[in-house]
Amino acid sequence: MRAPAMLRWAAAALALALAALLAASPAAAFYLPGVAPNDFHKKDPLLVKVNKLTSTKTQLPYSYYSLPFCKPNTIVDSAENLGEVLRGDRIENSPYVFEMGEPKMCQIICKAKIDDKQAKELKEKIEDEYRVNMILDNLPLVVAIARQDRDATVYQAGYHVGAKGQYAGNKDEKSFIHNHLTFLVKYHKDETTDLSRIVGFEVKPFSINHQFEGPWNDKNTRLITCDPHASKLVVNSDTPREVEAGKEIIFTYDVGFEESDVKWASRWDTYLLMTDDQIHWFSIVNSLMIVLFLSGMVAMIMLRTLYRDISRYNQLETEEAQEETGWKLVHGDVFRPPANSDLLCVCVGTGVQFFGMLLVTMIFAVLGFLSPSNRGGLMTAMLLTWVLMGLFAGYASSRLYKMFKGSEWKSITLRTAFLFPGIAFGIFFILNALIWGEKSSGAVPFSTMFALVLLWFGISVPLVFVGSYLGFKQPAIEAPVKTNKIPRQVPEQAWYMNPAFAILIGGILPFGAVFIELFFILTSIWLHQFYYIFGFLFLVFIILIITCAEITIVLCYFQLCSEDYMWWWRSYLTSGSSAIYLFLYAGFYFFTKLQITKVVSGILYFGYMLLASCAFCVLTGTIGFCACFWFTRLIYSSVKID
């Protein structure tokens, strides 16, 4: 294929990527947090939307209307971007009627008769501690919880469907549904224009066995248990509504409005201060200081040792009858292509793709484009960046392949384009089938699956081919020293230089650089909390790069000094082995922090964590390999060799 044709492919692929971006995220493709507030006049209608039901015990989201809650006349789905669909978000309209600045008390939504199947589903959801999520003006609904020990209020996203409890004098546990909601809408008022902006959306859920007088007349029925005219409001759950088959449940709500000093631009601060941060900050900073100190020590040792070695080797050139020792001795074999060199090229190319994806995504996140207010934005950005970074994956793999004297560039390109994405898609497809079997809204629909395949085959694969073509057109990377025709024998190594031992030891330091930050990330994913400290994550990412590079260089240097020249795969696996510790930590987190009891939920957790660990292995392995490649070229080009 000629160069102009390849460039046309590239242009077409980029056009497709932009089209996919706009199609996948019509409402929030170029969303900048803080630039588009909604202003409301008094009595303006406020749209309350319902989202998925979530549980940290099962990790399986369900649609709000999968339970027998009151429905509006017509259920309307909100437009969702690619990231929202993959997260399992199902945003729909609700029967709640709010008007700006107009408090309402004891509003009846509907009376629902619960059959056997619905009662069973409600009891299961209450048992699994499912929470109902709602949205008002892009703000998620929260429950305020006063903390006595810290004299502060913390917020939990969503309210529980119901609660388990016992009647007085009865030991049998019953399920009670939260059928009365007391909403509080906080707003910030502009004194000059008299317009209001919503800055908070809170709820207090109650369970009450509603009674009414006279015949049932839909929303005009007068309740005995909740009557604003008689100053009788719902303030507790002393007479709760039990979930029973064949019985009716009356759903009601109150809505109040409260003026707030919080400005619109700061309204997310409340949501983002959900956890104890003081101790974690100290812990993270402490960890980073240790890693920085170790890295400084490593760099200093390396510079001193190498400087002495190179000076000595160059000095020995002038003296006769001196034998070569240490790393200089293997100069004729150090750039010999390794076993399975094709696979190494593919792994390095995939690692470059991951590195580019994370770097670009983090820069956008740090700049505020991917804040939690932009639901699904982070996942959409990661997917699209991954697809576009196929260009660099193809380029890196073909450059390395050409250095190893490879000639079948199309073969290496296909493997780069399909190996890791194929494995990831296979695992994702199996896990999605399990979610589908549970009838969860987290199951990715066929249309979205088709869109993912289209992104992969329509954009990523062509870009990998373009990158490979451009890489293979470049002159081959020349080794600084010539390779001998006959490989030398590797002498017997000390026990501590055993490849398996050295590789496992090498993975500890990179994992140590990220494991505390990993706690926050796992908590945000599996305990449904917001992750927002992207600036700090970016710093940890830089520390990870430095640590991976330095630990790999040190161990590679010791390996070459012991006259073992098989460094290619070892350099990749040294820092890549940190993924083993990541997966082990994920197991530790599962058994100590999560309350997952369902087998399917456990399989989902370990399936996704296995995928994350593989990605981490590819990323850290590539960083270590590139650092080692640069290091070996540097030292062997610095000494005089006959």
Side-chain angles (χ1 to χ4, degrees):
M1 194 182 284
R2 296 191 310 279
M6 294 299 286
L7 291 172
R8 280 199 298 273
W9 263 96
L14 284 168
L16 262 171
L18 284 170
L21 178 64
L22 292 166
S25 181
F30 302 103
Y31 177 85
L32 260 173
V35 296
N38 289 320
D39 294 311
F40 297 98
H41 292 279
K42 194 171 174 63
K43 290 196 175 183
D44 274 357
L46 305 178
L47 292 176
V48 181
K49 296 180 180 179
V50 291
N51 200 348
K52 60 188 175 184
L53 308 171
T54 55
S55 165
T56 56
K57 286 180 80 172
T58 68
Q59 300 296 336
L60 294 166
Y62 286 90
S63 163
Y64 177 83
Y65 293 115
S66 64
L67 289 183
F69 293 127
C70 302
K71 296 183 174 116
N73 295 329
T74 309
I75 296 173
V76 181
D77 287 326
S78 294
E80 290 150 357
N81 60 40
L82 191 59
E84 284 179 308
V85 175
L86 293 174
R87 275 163 35 112
D89 284 351
R90 297 294 179 268
I91 302 166
E92 296 158 316
N93 62 329
S94 76
Y96 296 96
V97 179
F98 288 13
E99 290 177 334
M100 189 69 206
E102 293 289 307
K104 293 181 180 180
M105 300 294 160
C106 305
Q107 296 293 300
I108 297 170
I109 317 171
C110 75
K111 181 177 69 167
K113 189 167 184 177
I114 309 298
D115 61 29
D116 291 345
K117 188 185 173 189
Q118 291 171 331
K120 184 171 174 277
E121 283 177 353
L122 271 173
K123 286 174 183 175
E124 282 174 0
K125 296 294 184 287
I126 292 168
E127 179 72 40
D128 289 331
E129 297 177 12
Y130 269 86
R131 304 181 82 92
V132 177
N133 294 284
M134 293 186 181
I135 299 164
L136 176 65
D137 190 36
N138 203 37
L139 272 183
L141 180 69
V142 291
V143 176
I145 299 166
R147 285 196 55 167
Q148 307 298 330
D149 55 337
R150 292 183 62 194
D151 193 28
T153 304
V154 292
Y155 296 91
Q156 287 188 329
Y159 67 91
H160 282 115
V161 172
K164 302 275 284 185
Q166 301 161 334
Y167 289 114
N170 193 332
K171 290 185 179 179
D172 293 339
E173 268 207 331
K174 303 286 185 185
S175 297
F176 301 99
I177 188 170
H178 287 140
N179 60 329
H180 180 87
L181 304 175
T182 301
F183 293 105
L184 176 63
V185 178
K186 293 182 177 180
Y187 63 94
H188 182 79
K189 196 168 187 179
D190 190 331
E191 299 299 333
T192 54
T193 61
D194 208 34
L195 292 169
S196 302
R197 290 176 180 174
I198 294 167
V199 295
F201 186 33
E202 298 174 15
V203 71
K204 287 181 183 171
F206 299 103
S207 179
I208 182 159
N209 188 8
H210 278 306
Q211 305 293 329
F212 58 92
E213 56 186 27
W216 178 257
N217 187 19
D218 289 335
K219 296 182 181 181
N220 299 318
T221 306
R222 188 159 182 174
L223 298 172
I224 300 169
T225 42
C226 186
D227 188 354
H229 304 295
S231 300
K232 188 170 180 60
L233 301 175
V234 178
V235 291
N236 57 48
S237 298
D238 290 348
T239 54
R241 171 76 264 187
E242 187 186 338
V243 176
E244 292 177 285
K247 295 289 178 74
E248 292 174 334
I249 299 173
I250 298 170
F251 290 92
T252 55
Y253 70 97
D254 303 336
V255 57
F257 291 84
E258 182 184 287
E259 193 166 350
S260 171
D261 295 329
V262 176
K263 290 199 164 61
W264 189 88
S266 309
R267 67 180 188 161
W268 274 88
D269 292 359
T270 310
Y271 295 81
L272 302 180
L273 298 172
M274 286 190 172
T275 50
D276 304 329
D277 50 1
Q278 197 80 20
I279 185 117
H280 294 308
W281 281 108
F282 281 128
S283 188
I284 292 168
V285 171
N286 186 42
S287 170
L288 291 176
M289 291 302 288
I290 292 167
V291 170
L292 280 170
F293 175 72
L294 283 171
S295 300
M297 290 285 288
V298 162
M300 199 165 66
I301 292 164
M302 292 306 303
L303 285 170
R304 287 189 62 184
T305 311
L306 276 173
Y307 182 74
R308 192 176 68 241
D309 280 356
I310 290 166
S311 302
R312 186 159 54 87
Y313 286 155
N314 288 338
Q315 216 171 3
L316 289 175
E317 288 294 323
T318 60
E319 300 173 20
E320 291 182 13
Q322 283 282 358
E323 285 189 12
E324 290 180 345
T325 55
W327 54 266
K328 191 185 176 189
L329 196 62
V330 294
H331 67 80
D333 295 275
V334 77
F335 291 104
R336 187 180 301 284
N340 300 314
S341 58
D342 290 11
L343 182 61
L344 182 65
C345 296
V346 171
C347 290
V348 170
T350 306
V352 168
Q353 193 171 3
F354 263 114
F355 183 81
M357 177 195 77
L358 285 174
L359 188 66
V360 173
T361 305
M362 274 194 216
I363 289 168
F364 275 100
V366 168
L367 292 173
F369 283 87
L370 304 173
S371 82
S373 59
N374 184 13
R375 273 183 316 278
L378 182 63
M379 195 171 283
T380 307
M382 285 177 80
L383 267 172
L384 294 172
T385 317
W386 161 267
V387 164
L388 295 174
M389 287 296 151
L391 188 73
F392 298 98
Y395 184 84
S397 62
S398 66
R399 288 279 280 159
L400 195 59
Y401 181 66
K402 193 169 183 180
M403 184 193 166
F404 291 149
K405 306 287 189 290
S407 57
E408 296 293 323
W409 70 274
K410 288 176 185 172
S411 162
I412 209 76
T413 306
L414 282 170
R415 281 188 247 178
T416 306
F418 289 105
L419 183 67
F420 187 86
I423 293 168
F425 192 80
I427 293 172
F428 175 71
F429 190 82
I430 292 164
L431 295 178
N432 195 60
L434 290 173
I435 301 171
W436 199 278
E438 294 291 317
K439 297 182 174 62
S440 165
S441 70
V444 175
F446 178 76
S447 56
T448 309
M449 199 77 84
F450 181 73
L452 290 174
V453 172
L454 193 66
L455 281 172
W456 179 15
F457 282 85
I459 302 172
S460 182
V461 174
L463 284 177
V464 173
F465 264 92
V466 172
S468 277
Y469 176 81
L470 296 173
F472 209 74
K473 279 286 179 188
Q474 298 292 320
I477 301 166
E478 293 293 332
V481 288
K482 287 182 179 176
T483 302
N484 295 336
K485 288 182 179 176
I486 301 166
R488 67 178 281 126
Q489 193 173 353
V490 177
E492 195 174 335
Q493 301 292 305
W495 66 270
Y496 53 83
M497 290 306 293
N498 178 280
F501 180 77
I503 285 167
L504 287 172
I505 290 296
I508 293 172
L509 204 58
F511 174 72
V514 297
F515 91 97
I516 291 175
E517 200 62 27
L518 187 64
F519 172 83
F520 283 99
I521 294 167
L522 290 178
T523 301
S524 74
I525 295 169
W526 301 108
L527 294 180
H528 306 149
Q529 294 184 10
F530 292 107
Y531 188 86
Y532 61 98
I533 42 176
F534 291 112
F536 217 88
L537 183 64
F538 192 61
L539 179 62
V540 171
F541 183 56
I542 292 165
I543 296 293
L544 175 69
I545 294 166
I546 296 166
T547 313
C548 284
E550 288 184 343
I551 193 69
T552 313
I553 287 170
V554 170
L555 291 176
C556 179
Y557 171 72
F558 290 145
Q559 181 188 348
L560 294 173
C561 282
S562 62
E563 299 176 22
D564 181 357
Y565 57 84
M566 297 177 183
W567 64 273
W568 297 96
W569 272 110
R570 200 145 144 189
S571 67
Y572 192 93
L573 296 173
T574 296
S575 50
S577 66
S578 54
I580 296 169
Y581 299 102
L582 189 148
F583 191 72
L584 291 173
Y585 181 76
F588 170 78
Y589 186 88
F590 179 84
F591 290 110
T592 56
K593 297 290 178 188
L594 300 179
Q595 300 173 311
I596 290 174
T597 49
K598 275 193 168 188
V599 176
V600 170
S601 305
I603 293 169
L604 284 181
Y605 177 85
F606 284 106
Y608 283 127
M609 289 316 298
L610 177 66
L611 206 53
S613 300
C614 290
F616 193 69
C617 174
V618 169
L619 171 72
T620 52
T622 300
I623 294 167
F625 172 83
C626 292
C628 239
F629 186 59
W630 167 82
F631 170 73
T632 49
R633 287 178 59 80
L634 181 74
I635 63 171
Y636 283 101
S637 60
S638 303
V639 292
K640 297 171 190 169
I641 291 163
D642 295 334

